[in-house]
Amino acid sequence: MNFRPFDSLFGRLSVFTVGVLLLSHFAWFTAMRFERSEMQTRYAVEETTFLVDAVKQHQARSPNVPLPSRVRLVDQGAASVPPADPFTTSSPLSRYIDDLRESMPQGTLLRVDENGHPPRLWVLMPGDQQWIVVPLQPLRGPRTFDRMLFWLIFITVGAAMSAMFAAWQVQRPLRTLAGAVGRFGRGQHVAPVAESGPRELRQLTRGFNQMVNDISQTQSDRNVMLAGVAHDLRTPLARLRLRAEMMDDARSRDGVVRDVDSLTHIVDQFLMFANDTLDTSMPTPVDGLCERAARNFHAVYPAEPAIGLELAAGEAFVLPEASLDRILTNLLENAHAYGEAPISVATWRDGDTWHLRVCDSGHGISPANLAAATRPFVRLDPARGGNGHSGLGLAIVDRLTRHAGGQCEIDNRPEGGLRVTMRFPVKV
């Protein structure tokens, strides 16, 4: 499975949140830079207007008092007056002149002398005979990098980290619930999930816990019923077999005994399926128990060919002894009853996974019925029917495999026959 970090809820929430933060912060930064330029222009216009008004009031009230060194008056016809042709300058200065012209009385003449240091502004109001020369207010264009950009990056990074932490907090209960759903789907025991997170997620968790409790109760009731019925049938089956053994007619006796044995096998399957408790037996090497199961199978069915063994897992591959014995017994009996010889058992390790496989050489299962092969009490196609068939053999194998922490896969071999592969994680 390819690892796609942005395919998870946390990844998508993080990308969405960080993207919105970046967009909003840089939009705010652009707006602030534009507004700062506008405010600087307005401030320069107000300063110039105030200075020109102050010079006019000074001339009207105190004409004999000298003006500051950087402010002077020049006669209207003086040769040093800048030309009236449009000047070439930057955009902020052009906007500044336009705004200043709007704030002055109509008919006011404005000239800019950029040759001096600092540049000077020449103002001639209607009715005046002298130009008022004042220093031009300094105007700076937007800088490529300033302190505000540094603070913007700092705030954006801090906000993004906070948003990612919040997204992680939101998705954590959902991830816990998803893990519980996965375990429950694999048939493993699931403890009640803590209800946390937003209201909708708490409601979903509460519904899941209720569903798990109801299904567990239903399974428990079914297992109790199966165990009770199977247990109650053991005694009459034992009496029926005893009576069959005392029959005089050998042909009838053998037929009744076979039927009793089939019923006994079904009862044993019921009891095995109803026993849903965890296996507490000691772990045993799988390869060794496979060899023993093959010898026992040959002892029960001496006319059958020997089971082919390809055991390459080694002593490190261990499983609970009782569960492994039931798995192998059910699979070998299933292969004998519904498949054909030769039967093979193989074990090996692939990376961090142990494999256990049992194959027969029969007709297999029709592809349409493969999905239902591990469902309890499901009879497959008639070719796999027979005496003593309860529809629980593969269901028991699947349940025991899941209880042992593995996964069971059932498919047909390309060359013919059923193939049951169990995979177990390697425990470090």
Side-chain angles (χ1 to χ4, degrees):
M1 181 180 296
N2 295 330
F3 177 69
R4 295 185 294 176
F6 300 117
D7 193 40
S8 64
L9 176 63
F10 172 68
R12 295 189 178 186
L13 279 177
S14 299
V15 171
F16 175 76
T17 306
V18 172
V20 170
L21 284 173
L22 289 175
L23 180 63
S24 60
H25 279 69
F26 279 98
W28 170 82
F29 174 71
T30 303
M32 286 296 297
R33 283 170 65 88
F34 177 76
E35 286 297 324
R36 184 173 64 174
S37 178
E38 291 291 324
M39 291 176 60
Q40 187 181 36
T41 301
R42 288 196 297 268
Y43 177 76
V45 169
E46 291 175 359
E47 285 289 317
T48 302
T49 304
F50 174 77
L51 183 55
V52 171
D53 289 341
V55 172
K56 289 182 65 65
Q57 292 178 14
H58 177 273
Q59 289 297 104
R61 297 177 183 176
S62 307
N64 298 323
V65 178
L67 294 169
S69 60
R70 302 181 67 178
V71 178
R72 59 193 179 93
L73 299 175
V74 179
D75 292 336
Q76 186 175 359
S80 59
V81 176
D85 295 336
F87 54 87
T88 303
T89 185
S90 59
S91 177
L93 186 55
S94 300
R95 189 166 57 249
Y96 163 73
I97 295 299
D98 292 339
D99 292 347
L100 184 60
R101 185 174 288 111
E102 292 179 0
S103 65
M104 294 288 183
Q106 189 174 4
T108 301
L109 301 178
L110 299 176
R111 304 285 189 273
V112 174
D113 182 8
E114 296 186 283
N115 296 324
H117 185 75
R120 291 170 295 176
L121 175 68
W122 295 59
V123 181
L124 179 62
M125 290 188 176
D128 290 349
Q129 300 299 321
Q130 291 181 314
W131 291 86
I132 301 175
V133 183
V134 296
L136 188 66
Q137 296 296 325
L139 294 174
R140 299 184 180 89
R143 290 171 289 187
T144 57
F145 182 85
D146 55 12
R147 185 177 300 175
M148 187 168 62
L149 181 59
F150 167 78
W151 283 109
L152 174 68
I153 295 175
F154 178 78
I155 294 173
T156 302
V157 171
M161 294 179 64
S162 301
M164 292 176 67
F165 177 76
W168 180 74
Q169 289 287 349
V170 169
Q171 67 87 36
R172 185 173 60 174
L174 190 58
R175 183 178 59 183
T176 303
L177 180 60
V181 171
R183 292 192 299 275
F184 183 71
R186 294 190 297 270
Q188 300 176 1
H189 174 72
V190 177
V193 181
E195 299 178 12
S196 60
R199 179 182 59 190
E200 293 81 3
L201 185 55
R202 295 198 304 272
Q203 292 174 349
L204 178 63
T205 304
R206 188 179 306 116
F208 172 76
N209 289 334
Q210 184 63 42
M211 179 191 70
V212 171
N213 183 68
D214 293 343
I215 293 178
S216 300
Q217 186 62 43
T218 301
Q219 290 179 343
S220 177
D221 295 342
R222 182 188 64 182
N223 292 341
V224 170
M225 180 191 68
L226 285 177
V229 171
H231 183 272
D232 293 342
L233 286 175
R234 278 182 173 274
T235 301
L237 284 174
R239 292 199 301 264
L240 186 60
R241 182 182 179 88
L242 180 61
R243 292 176 182 177
E245 294 288 349
M246 294 185 295
M247 295 177 63
D248 295 332
D249 187 358
R251 183 175 181 180
S252 299
R253 181 178 66 244
D254 294 341
V256 173
V257 169
R258 283 197 301 270
D259 291 340
V260 171
D261 289 341
S262 298
L263 290 174
T264 303
H265 177 71
I266 293 175
V267 169
D268 291 338
Q269 293 287 82
F270 281 174
L271 288 173
M272 189 180 300
F273 184 78
N275 184 18
D276 197 24
T277 58
L278 295 178
D279 189 359
T280 57
S281 60
M282 293 295 295
T284 186
V286 175
D287 288 2
L289 193 53
C290 288
E291 293 177 351
R292 188 172 65 190
R295 290 195 299 269
N296 294 338
F297 179 84
H298 187 64
V300 175
Y301 306 104
E304 293 289 332
I307 295 177
L309 298 177
E310 299 179 9
L311 308 177
E315 295 293 324
F317 183 21
V318 296
L319 289 175
E321 183 175 4
S323 295
L324 179 59
D325 183 65
R326 292 173 183 173
I327 289 173
L328 292 173
T329 299
N330 275 275
L331 289 178
L332 295 178
E333 290 290 341
N334 189 79
H336 171 72
Y338 313 121
E340 295 179 5
I343 302 171
S344 63
V345 179
T347 63
W348 73 94
R349 177 175 178 174
D350 183 10
D352 56 354
T353 304
W354 296 112
H355 293 76
L356 169 62
R357 175 175 290 171
V358 178
C359 303
D360 63 53
S361 302
H363 300 289
I365 300 176
S366 63
N369 292 327
L370 277 175
T374 58
R375 295 178 185 173
F377 307 106
V378 174
R379 290 182 62 93
L380 302 176
D381 54 277
R384 296 186 65 84
N387 293 332
H389 178 62
S390 62
L392 288 175
L394 294 178
I396 292 173
V397 171
D398 181 67
R399 173 183 287 185
L400 292 175
T401 301
R402 287 187 280 109
H403 283 183
Q407 294 180 342
C408 181
E409 179 182 347
I410 300 176
D411 62 348
N412 293 314
R413 301 170 63 200
E415 59 271 25
L418 190 67
R419 176 171 56 192
V420 181
T421 305
M422 291 148 284
R423 298 179 177 86
F424 301 88
V426 175
K427 298 180 180 179
V428 180

